[in-house]
Amino acid sequence: MTYLPLRQVHLDFHTGDDMPDVGSRFSEQDFRQALTVGHISSVTLFAKCHHGWAYYPSAMVPPHPTMTADLLGRQLAVCREMGVRAQVYISAGFDEHMAVTHPEYRNVLVGGDNTLLGAHFHQLCLNNDGYLEYLCAQVAEVMTLYGDRIGGIFTDICTPTPCVCPACIRSMLAAGLNPENPADVRRHARAVYSKFTDAVNRTVAAQDPAMPVFHNCGDLPRNDRAWVFANTAHLELESLPTGGWGYDHFPLSAAYCRVLGREFIGMTGKFHTTWGEFGGYKHPNALRYETGLSLAMGGGCSIGDQLHPLGMFDPATYRLIGSAYAEVERREPWCFGARAVADIALFTAYTEENRHICPDIGANRILLEGKYLYNIIDRDCDFSAYKLIVFPDTVRFDGDLAARVREYLAGGGRVLLSGESGRMTDSDAFFADFGVTDDGENPHDSTYLCPTYDMKGNGRAAYLMYRRGRSLRIGGGVRVLAEMQDSYFNRSFRHFCSHFYTPNDPDSHRPGCVLSADGRVGCIAWYVFDEYRANGAYHQKQIVCDMLDALLGDAKTLETDLPSNGVTTLLYQEAEHRYVQHLLYAVTKQRGRAEVIEDAIPLRDVAVTLRLPCGVTPRRVMLVPDCTALPFTCSDGCLRYTVPEFTLHGMVAIEV
Ligand SMILES: [Zn+2]
């Protein structure tokens, strides 16, 4: 079995017209040195950049005006000599040369500004046949010249982008779409995207049907598999934690990617913030953590760098990359081909409109911080692979989904609903009778969550919930884990009390968080995952964890006392018959505009309990990659061990 290399560098090279002597100080020896010091096994190299210049002798794309050598060819020769996979980058949505020489190719947005003023790249519209033919001709040329020595084609800036340029207006009218209707414009942009990916994929396949093609869109959608599978082989998940994505984004993106059956790599950067920095460096501990996180999520790694226009490799950058990749290289044998073990499926609530405020975001944080083993699924997934499915906040059911979830429950599954999830698309009726009725939205702007037990943290209290919830009624046998108390009134100029929120009315009682009599369906009256995304209050997380634990009971595979900032996953390497538990811990800190990691704090004596399938007794448990044997006990179907110490990233192999 051949696996995708796990240690990739994405070597940005966007070089403006006025940069002198481009590539003149490139040296094969320096490149070899960078690849060696950086412990790099794969690299993305530039055929054409955002400025629209080619970095090889092209017959159709103008080479950079101050470059004389075949930079790409020389780089590829070094990769071939060193056995490093190379994929070739072609900028699609940005091509500044075309934006200037063919203004008709520029993307046009209603109310948008895409004039040539401003020191930035200008979005092109991929619906212009002239530009698409130009792009495909370059792809064909790269395949002809270098197809025998590259491992893939990578196109960039190709998200479906709404556009009302003359070409788009023409094709929208021809398709019966209304260019004045934003929904029609989005639908058309999606069709243009397919036209683009089909054209590029056909061009590549004409010369080599096995050549992988990846179209980078920044963030994979979770409701459009045709979009995702326009990428013909592996997937790259762009997620620079300090570049606006944050440290929780990659685990979310990976949790969905894991169900797609494709190898994937997490793409971060060496930059302090994001792409485009010359001289921006993050602390080595940050990169060590980020690459460890990629492995833990079941993926490989890609680190973004930017080559100096003269073609010089920056030794400090490759020392930084090497500090992370030397560790990855040692850990790789316990990572190749590993599949994540998941108890819980989070059913995605993603839509194009809510992508930045999706309930998945808060749910992912709770599952991650709560140390649950989970994947994110869509309706194409097999529900029976999971012990519990969470439908967060906004997932209403159509007839088909309702029938599938009823069947899943009948087969022994468990379900957690929040907000308006589990109601039908055309009414507030639940998909099944589990003793709970929805009476619509509770009209109180703020309400209070009152646990009926001593909740971890602050025990029994009336906890503020910041947005409206649902009004529930329950039948006999339904267990109430938390009540909902209303506030006295909604604030307005007519009456208000104190600064922001009306106090709770202790005499009001509604069901807030309930479990069905058979303990298989949990229902939370609040949009609790959006609450946690927006507010991050401890009680919002804890009530979800308590509901999940009540539903799962002893079906929970992994328990650990790793702190809330810690991350753990459990992967299985089938060929090696072993489980690998990953443990990560770092403290992120907002400093200025970046969330940084500097400190590598050792974590000691982390207790772990695993319930492996069929009560498997391991042959050996050891800390890897050092292969230090770890004492363990087995009783009551549980494997228990204590990780004595790890710093940033620890791994335990359980051989069965
Ligand atoms: Zn257009």
Side-chain angles (χ1 to χ4, degrees):
M1 176 85 191
T2 307
Y3 297 111
L4 189 68
L6 303 185
R7 290 168 280 123
Q8 179 165 298
V9 161
H10 183 99
L11 191 60
D12 253 13
F13 197 55
H14 302 295
T15 310
D17 314 14
D18 294 329
M19 296 314 303
D21 306 321
V22 164
S24 62
R25 296 194 200 172
F26 172 81
S27 115
E28 276 77 1
Q29 186 47 36
D30 288 351
F31 188 26
R32 281 186 206 104
Q33 179 77 1
L35 293 171
T36 304
V37 170
H39 293 259
I40 293 157
S41 56
S42 177
V43 62
T44 305
L45 299 168
F46 271 44
K48 186 185 80 168
C49 72
H50 289 347
H51 289 277
W53 302 124
Y55 296 98
Y56 65 98
S58 169
M60 59 205 48
V61 179
H64 190 282
T66 70
M67 190 190 76
T68 51
D70 175 4
L71 187 60
L72 176 62
R74 290 174 66 186
Q75 290 171 330
L76 287 172
V78 172
C79 290
R80 180 182 243 189
E81 167 198 321
M82 295 186 67
V84 170
R85 175 184 181 268
Q87 63 180 1
V88 169
Y89 175 103
I90 296 173
S91 180
F94 288 158
D95 182 320
E96 209 52 16
H97 176 68
M98 282 289 134
V100 172
T101 55
H102 286 271
E104 73 277 15
Y105 292 169
R106 292 210 295 269
N107 168 271
V108 180
L109 269 179
V110 175
D113 170 12
N114 204 13
T115 70
L116 289 179
L117 299 178
H120 55 78
F121 299 114
H122 297 84
Q123 181 77 43
L124 298 183
C125 173
L126 299 171
N127 194 32
N128 284 282
D129 290 339
Y131 181 59
L132 192 55
E133 284 161 18
Y134 174 77
L135 202 56
C136 287
Q138 191 194 4
V139 170
E141 183 180 62
V142 165
M143 287 295 297
T144 303
L145 292 174
Y146 306 111
D148 61 340
R149 72 200 79 165
I150 64 177
I153 295 285
F154 183 111
T155 72
D156 200 12
I157 316 290
C158 32
T159 314
T161 307
C163 181
V164 288
C165 74
C168 284
I169 288 179
R170 264 197 312 277
S171 57
M172 266 187 271
L173 292 176
L177 297 171
N178 176 6
E180 291 179 315
N181 177 339
D184 276 8
V185 174
R186 281 198 301 274
R187 197 170 308 132
H188 179 257
R190 177 65 186 82
V192 168
Y193 179 73
S194 283
K195 182 177 143 189
F196 156 76
T197 54
D198 287 352
V200 172
N201 292 355
R202 261 199 318 274
T203 305
V204 173
Q207 296 196 40
D208 183 353
M211 179 66 70
V213 186
F214 180 72
H215 307 284
N216 188 36
C217 65
D219 192 18
L220 292 177
R222 295 188 290 281
N223 62 348
D224 189 342
R225 286 198 173 200
W227 173 338
V228 173
F229 290 147
N231 302 298
T232 65
H234 77 281
L235 302 169
E236 304 205 9
L237 310 184
E238 188 175 8
S239 184
L240 284 68
T242 57
W245 282 263
Y247 275 95
D248 293 334
H249 175 266
F250 176 69
L252 184 157
S253 193
Y256 177 64
C257 198
R258 286 197 291 262
V259 304
L260 299 173
R262 294 282 185 89
E263 288 183 288
F264 66 95
I265 53 184
M267 193 196 299
T268 181
K270 70 100 182 179
F271 316 108
H272 172 58
T273 62
T274 191
W275 301 108
E277 284 184 353
F278 292 99
Y281 301 85
K282 62 180 53 166
H283 193 282
N285 287 337
L287 207 53
R288 290 169 62 204
Y289 177 82
E290 290 163 22
T291 51
L293 190 63
S294 281
L295 300 180
M297 293 296 145
C301 315
S302 180
I303 299 173
D305 176 31
Q306 180 163 230
L307 186 63
H308 189 280
L310 294 174
M312 301 182 300
F313 288 86
D314 172 37
T317 292
Y318 288 85
R319 285 196 299 273
L320 167 59
I321 292 171
S323 72
Y325 277 173
E327 291 184 5
V328 173
E329 189 172 19
R330 292 186 66 220
R331 296 173 191 276
E332 273 176 358
W334 290 272
C335 300
F336 286 122
R339 296 267 175 268
V341 176
D343 291 334
I344 296 175
L346 170 65
F347 190 97
T348 184
Y350 177 99
T351 64
E352 195 176 309
E353 291 73 28
N354 76 8
R355 58 184 296 194
H356 298 300
I357 53 164
C358 180
D360 295 9
I361 298 169
N364 173 69
R365 279 186 194 146
I366 291 177
L367 293 168
L368 200 63
E369 292 163 17
K371 314 293 177 279
Y372 295 95
L373 303 178
Y374 66 99
N375 285 335
I376 298 179
I377 65 167
D378 57 25
R379 63 163 64 216
D380 290 342
C381 291
D382 173 14
F383 293 177
S384 70
Y386 301 95
K387 296 168 184 168
L388 190 159
I389 305 178
V390 177
F391 293 92
D393 293 2
T394 55
V395 185
R396 286 189 175 249
F397 292 4
D398 58 22
D400 171 61
L401 186 56
R404 285 184 61 198
V405 178
R406 284 195 296 269
E407 186 187 341
Y408 168 72
L409 281 172
R414 305 161 177 91
V415 163
L416 178 63
L417 310 168
S418 67
E420 64 199 66
S421 288
R423 283 70 163 177
M424 302 305 290
T425 44
D426 53 359
S427 78
D428 284 339
F430 277 105
F431 74 99
D433 180 7
F434 56 95
V436 183
T437 308
D438 183 297
D439 284 336
E441 188 179 71
N442 182 336
H444 291 82
D445 289 341
S446 53
T447 52
Y448 293 81
L449 182 150
C450 306
T452 57
Y453 59 97
D454 283 331
M455 184 190 267
K456 258 172 83 178
N458 291 303
R460 289 177 192 244
Y463 293 100
L464 176 61
M465 299 298 272
Y466 296 83
R467 60 170 284 195
R468 289 186 178 191
R470 308 291 298 183
S471 189
L472 302 181
R473 261 184 302 128
I474 53 171
V478 172
R479 189 176 145 209
V480 178
L481 269 71
E483 287 196 328
M484 176 187 279
Q485 284 183 3
D486 295 341
S487 50
Y488 285 100
F489 49 75
N490 286 345
R491 294 165 66 89
S492 75
F493 75 94
R494 298 177 198 284
H495 51 194
F496 67 92
C497 174
S498 191
H499 293 289
F500 300 114
Y501 303 99
T502 310
N504 59 307
D505 173 0
D507 295 327
S508 78
H509 302 281
R510 297 174 191 269
C513 301
V514 299
L515 279 178
S516 62
D518 66 1
R520 293 198 169 275
V521 182
C523 184
I524 299 176
W526 289 276
Y527 296 81
V528 69
F529 296 109
D530 186 60
E531 288 257 9
Y532 194 64
R533 176 196 64 79
N535 304 302
Y538 178 78
H539 63 270
Q540 296 166 345
K541 169 168 64 178
Q542 193 56 45
I543 189 66
V544 173
C545 292
D546 291 340
M547 292 284 283
L548 291 172
D549 289 347
L551 285 161
L552 280 172
D554 61 7
K556 199 171 171 183
T557 299
L558 186 151
E559 289 179 82
T560 174
D561 58 2
L562 196 59
S564 72
N565 263 352
V567 171
T568 189
T569 58
L570 184 68
L571 282 76
Y572 184 63
Q573 285 182 298
E574 196 169 354
E576 289 80 5
H577 303 289
R578 67 186 172 212
Y579 291 88
V580 180
Q581 188 204 0
H582 291 256
L583 304 97
L584 289 121
Y585 183 76
V587 176
T588 67
K589 174 87 176 161
Q590 191 72 30
R591 291 196 173 133
R593 61 196 174 102
E595 186 185 11
V596 304
I597 292 173
E598 279 186 22
D599 303 326
I601 303 164
L603 222 57
R604 298 195 173 88
D605 298 326
V606 179
V608 179
T609 301
L610 287 182
R611 285 181 198 86
L612 298 179
C614 313
V616 169
T617 303
R619 289 184 288 115
R620 197 156 56 139
V621 178
M622 56 185 187
L623 290 168
V624 291
D626 292 335
C627 299
T628 312
L630 206 56
F632 63 92
T633 62
C634 283
S635 60
D636 314 324
C638 293
L639 165 68
R640 294 184 179 84
Y641 53 83
T642 298
V643 178
E645 181 179 320
F646 74 92
T647 303
L648 293 172
H649 183 199
M651 288 164 69
V652 179
I654 302 122
E655 297 180 348
V656 296

